[in-house]
Amino acid sequence: MLKISKYTVIHEVEDGVLLYNMKNGAQIFVNNEEEKLKGDLLSLKKKDCDNIENDIFKKAFCVPDDIDEVQEVMASYYKQMFDPTNLSFIIMPNNICNFRCKYCYQEHGKKVISDENIDKFIKAIKNYYYDHGLKDFYIEWFGGEPFISFDIIKKVTDNLNSFFYGKNVRYHYGATTNGSLFSKDQIEYLLNNQFDFFQITIDGDKETHNSNRPLSDGRPTWNIIFDNLKTFNSFKEFDFHISIRVNYNNETFAGINELFDAIKDNLDSRFTVFFHTIGKWGGENDEALDVIDYSIEPYTTVMLMEEAIKKGIEPLTNYNYYNPFKRVCYAGLPYHFTLGSDGKLRKCNEEDEELDKFNVVGTIENERIEFNLYKWSRFVLPNGKIELENKCKECINLPVCFAQNCPKSRIINGNNRCPNDFIVTSEVLMNKYNYMIKSIRRK
Ligand code: SF4
Ligand code: SF4
């Protein structure tokens, strides 16, 4: 006997029905013209799974009727997440930046991670490999602006690449960078040395971006960044992904097509876009920032996604957010740590004296990754405890969010704030479908 999965959603639109399941990530669009599936669709709508003939429908949207799906979902979390052979880091080599973005929340001092801490980190990774084994290893460089410290990045990369070479480990790297400091040789070095992901922010058209993200001496940055993207694009033999992040507010909309046209005319499908509202993130200009109202943010993001798709540009990061596990913040991942410029191991990448009381969970002081179990548990257990909140047990988004959307704010506030954009899941997945159809037709 079967029952409909509690994570199945049936969303009807004019020309068909979108079916999806938040637990297994199945997403299927059934066009009104699909005569063969009409009977099965009707059975699914009536929650009558035993009368469904199509095997894919049954597997994707139904479950045996004696299953406790919440328990199954939580078991999937522990099985997938608590794998010590899957280790990742954010490293902040410095807190220095050559930009002065209007909305920046970071303090820019002159902190640079010491050679001693870098050596300890490299030794800690090697020791970890011998102690626990590794299947997957990833570093994301962050800052400040990480490429101000290119020499540090190169030292770590060269060292670890030669250590991992010939071992059965998938090792790769990425960076969140303002994208302004690359030479062609540096780009070539990175692509030749296992760097396969970059997040680079361009806030729309030249005028809007240059006013949001000037250099520290006030000069504009749009052309500098875009020229570097074109250089990346010229390396056709490498498979990498650059997510162009657009931090937006009301001022961004009018000129957004200028950015889309530049992407479409100059960059290939390795470049995607990611829309995120500008927020009052704790910087000194917060009061003066024009931000989009929290309650309408999800809808404005969907609008921008639609505009990008019309131009054939993929808002990949935005719609990936609705797949299983994708809303677990990296601070919630058990075997993920942030190495600060002070050599401490944090979970959330924010550095702040107050936060550090619970956010600093460990150290590499002894050339090993050592952490405090209780502090760690507050980040890595769903809900930070052995029990979920009742609202999460009932929630259809549990397999995506696991009450791990922002462990930092949960620890501070004592409860989980739900992401505001699950109300547009169906619209986002329709966008994804529309993009797929458009790109199939283009081929
Ligand atoms: S925090 Fe909110 S969205 Fe996340 S699982 Fe709990 S109830 Fe659902
Ligand atoms: S814990 Fe919260 S503030 Fe920290 S990185 Fe994650 S989402 Fe951001």
Side-chain angles (χ1 to χ4, degrees):
M1 296 278 282
L2 295 174
K3 65 180 175 186
I4 190 163
S5 162
K6 68 184 281 175
Y7 301 109
T8 290
V9 178
I10 303 172
H11 177 72
E12 303 197 47
V13 291
E14 205 181 322
D15 53 345
V17 182
L18 174 71
L19 303 167
Y20 57 94
N21 185 285
M22 300 299 269
K23 182 179 70 179
N24 56 31
Q27 295 158 2
I28 298 176
F29 186 77
V30 183
N31 202 291
N32 284 340
E33 285 146 33
E34 292 275 356
E35 289 297 330
K36 270 201 309 203
L37 291 173
K38 281 206 165 135
D40 283 349
L41 252 182
L42 201 63
S43 301
L44 199 60
K45 279 187 209 163
K46 287 194 208 150
K47 304 189 175 179
D48 180 10
C49 279
D50 286 322
N51 272 320
I52 292 174
E53 284 174 13
N54 184 293
D55 277 344
I56 297 177
F57 264 36
K58 272 198 226 176
K59 253 199 197 133
F61 305 119
C62 302
V63 288
D65 70 354
D66 58 351
I67 271 197
D68 176 344
E69 279 192 283
V70 178
Q71 185 164 326
E72 189 193 27
V73 164
M74 295 315 292
S76 76
Y77 184 90
Y78 291 105
K79 178 168 183 274
Q80 175 151 333
M81 293 297 186
F82 285 82
D83 175 359
T85 68
N86 186 351
L87 180 68
S88 62
F89 284 85
I90 287 176
I91 304 185
M92 329 264 270
N94 64 58
N95 73 343
I96 310 165
C97 191
N98 56 332
F99 279 27
R100 286 298 172 270
C101 304
K102 270 186 184 167
Y103 45 70
C104 185
Y105 60 90
Q106 289 188 330
E107 271 180 36
H108 294 130
K110 293 205 163 78
K111 280 198 255 173
V112 177
I113 194 164
S114 65
D115 271 350
E116 191 194 352
N117 279 330
I118 283 296
D119 291 340
K120 282 182 179 167
F121 173 74
I122 292 168
K123 284 187 187 141
I125 299 305
K126 293 179 182 174
N127 284 330
Y128 190 96
Y129 172 82
Y130 292 120
D131 292 347
H132 306 279
L134 271 174
K135 284 197 218 106
D136 203 299
F137 178 77
Y138 179 69
I139 297 174
E140 175 135 342
W141 293 90
F142 201 91
E145 167 45 44
F147 288 103
I148 286 176
S149 304
F150 192 85
D151 52 335
I152 294 174
I153 294 176
K154 188 169 182 311
K155 177 177 177 180
V156 172
T157 307
D158 288 347
N159 225 300
L160 290 179
N161 282 2
S162 54
F163 176 71
F164 285 134
Y165 184 77
K167 296 187 170 71
N168 196 15
V169 182
R170 175 176 181 249
Y171 54 99
H172 59 134
Y173 314 108
T176 292
T177 161
N178 64 33
S180 68
L181 290 174
F182 299 116
S183 66
K184 189 170 183 191
D185 285 349
Q186 285 175 338
I187 290 174
E188 189 167 17
Y189 167 83
L190 296 170
L191 296 178
N192 267 314
N193 282 282
Q194 307 294 115
F195 277 76
D196 56 10
F197 173 75
F198 300 86
Q199 176 173 262
I200 295 177
T201 299
I202 302 187
D203 287 349
D205 66 292
K206 285 185 193 176
E207 197 185 330
T208 314
H209 169 94
N210 288 335
S211 116
N212 278 354
R213 296 175 64 78
L215 285 168
S216 54
D217 61 9
R219 279 182 299 137
T221 58
W222 197 101
N223 283 338
I224 301 171
I225 301 169
F226 209 85
D227 285 347
N228 284 334
L229 294 183
K230 287 200 274 188
T231 307
F232 270 101
N233 190 61
S234 68
F235 288 98
K236 294 293 177 198
E237 66 276 34
F238 293 102
D239 191 14
F240 58 81
H241 173 210
I242 293 190
S243 179
I244 300 174
R245 176 165 167 152
V246 182
N247 290 325
Y248 74 90
N249 62 8
N250 289 313
E251 288 157 21
T252 320
F253 289 89
I256 194 69
N257 276 318
E258 185 184 313
L259 173 65
F260 292 158
D261 288 338
I263 295 172
K264 189 167 60 98
D265 294 345
N266 295 288
L267 308 174
D268 61 31
S269 60
R270 293 172 295 178
F271 299 77
T272 64
V273 280
F274 168 38
F275 301 105
H276 198 294
T277 44
I278 291 172
K280 293 181 191 281
W281 292 321
E284 54 190 31
N285 289 330
D286 270 9
E287 282 308 308
L289 288 177
D290 165 29
V291 297
I292 289 185
D293 190 87
Y294 184 71
S295 62
I296 64 162
E297 271 178 16
Y299 304 101
T300 50
T301 301
V302 169
M303 271 167 57
L304 285 168
M305 290 172 75
E306 277 167 8
E307 291 308 307
I309 287 166
K310 278 187 206 153
K311 298 274 183 179
I313 300 163
E314 190 172 21
L316 182 69
T317 310
N318 287 103
Y319 51 58
N320 266 351
Y321 267 156
Y322 301 84
N323 286 334
F325 297 97
K326 291 296 181 190
R327 212 55 77 83
V328 177
C329 170
Y330 45 75
L333 303 177
Y335 294 98
H336 173 94
F337 301 93
T338 297
L339 178 67
S341 51
D342 54 9
K344 292 177 179 159
L345 288 181
R346 292 178 173 79
K347 291 298 284 172
C348 177
N349 69 9
E350 284 189 35
E351 285 187 21
D352 168 290
E353 218 176 297
E354 267 309 296
L355 290 186
D356 275 359
K357 290 178 187 157
F358 62 86
N359 190 29
V360 173
V361 298
T363 170
I364 49 165
E365 199 47 47
N366 301 319
E367 299 174 356
R368 289 199 137 68
I369 294 160
E370 295 171 322
F371 53 85
N372 175 297
L373 262 186
Y374 179 68
K375 285 182 158 186
W376 181 73
S377 75
R378 298 181 79 196
F379 282 90
V380 304
L381 294 179
N383 193 31
K385 299 197 172 116
I386 48 175
E387 266 285 327
L388 285 177
E389 281 184 80
N390 282 337
K391 70 170 184 181
C392 302
K393 288 184 194 159
E394 300 303 321
C395 177
I396 193 170
N397 301 309
L398 181 67
V400 177
C401 166
F402 290 97
Q404 287 289 66
N405 172 54
C406 180
K408 178 203 86 175
S409 62
R410 179 187 60 229
I411 292 169
I412 293 173
N413 302 321
N415 54 40
N416 289 290
R417 186 180 190 192
C418 304
N420 64 348
D421 60 308
F422 281 128
I423 45 171
V424 293
T425 304
S426 297
E427 286 72 16
V428 170
L429 295 181
M430 277 309 299
N431 269 343
K432 179 177 176 182
Y433 169 75
N434 290 336
Y435 177 79
M436 303 290 170
I437 290 292
K438 210 172 154 114
S439 53
I440 289 168
R441 285 194 186 129
R442 263 204 316 271
K443 277 176 193 160

